[in-house]
Amino acid sequence: MNKVVKKVIGTLGTGALIAGIIIGANANDKKEAVKVNKVDPELKEWHFDGATNPSNNDPTNAEQYSEGKSSTCPGLAQTACNLNAPETSPNSGVIDLNYMVPGTGQSVQQRIQSAIASSTPNETVESFRAN
């Protein structure tokens, strides 16, 4: 009788172990991967107005930009004129110079400085004007 009880307990234990493995495997299969879709902010057109006093012009100062495109960019590559960048927050009306431009490893501010230094437009700076 003792051997029969041990076999029954052994069989039930093994069955419970197998059932646990199956249930665990099924539970793991049913978990769906959580995908985080990072949405890049909307790029807007901005133009560099500069300061009231031209000697204080600073293309790295967000307050010196206005939303929209300027048609008065003569093409002299002294400073930025028209560019594409997001706002700091929706409807803030302030350009986000710290936004990291995808695929460049640089911020909008760095892309502006790079374009001015090389006198060459890039994915951020579309055109130039005289300082």
Side-chain angles (χ1 to χ4, degrees):
M1 181 79 176
N2 199 10
K3 288 184 181 182
V4 174
V5 172
K6 284 184 181 182
K7 280 188 176 187
V8 170
I9 292 173
T11 303
L12 289 175
T14 304
L17 180 63
I18 292 172
I21 291 171
I22 292 170
I23 291 170
N26 284 339
N28 194 31
D29 287 345
K30 290 182 182 179
K31 287 183 184 177
E32 292 183 23
V34 177
K35 292 182 181 179
V36 177
N37 291 330
K38 182 179 176 188
V39 177
D40 287 330
E42 176 187 357
L43 298 181
K44 295 187 172 198
E45 291 183 333
W46 302 87
H47 66 272
F48 180 66
D49 295 321
T52 306
N53 179 351
S55 65
N56 293 331
N57 282 349
D58 180 4
T60 62
N61 181 343
E63 298 298 320
Q64 294 185 10
Y65 287 88
S66 296
E67 192 173 339
K69 191 168 190 164
S70 174
S71 60
T72 58
C73 297
L76 299 174
Q78 293 177 351
T79 194
C81 187
N82 290 317
L83 55 121
N84 296 304
E87 288 178 278
T88 53
S89 62
N91 302 316
S92 70
V94 178
I95 189 172
D96 186 356
L97 296 175
N98 295 317
Y99 172 73
M100 295 303 289
V101 179
T104 67
Q106 293 183 321
S107 66
V108 168
Q109 180 176 332
Q110 291 169 319
R111 297 306 295 153
I112 292 168
Q113 291 168 329
S114 176
I116 292 170
S118 68
S119 299
T120 306
N122 58 32
E123 64 284 309
T124 301
V125 178
E126 290 183 346
S127 59
F128 299 96
R129 70 173 177 81
N131 200 6

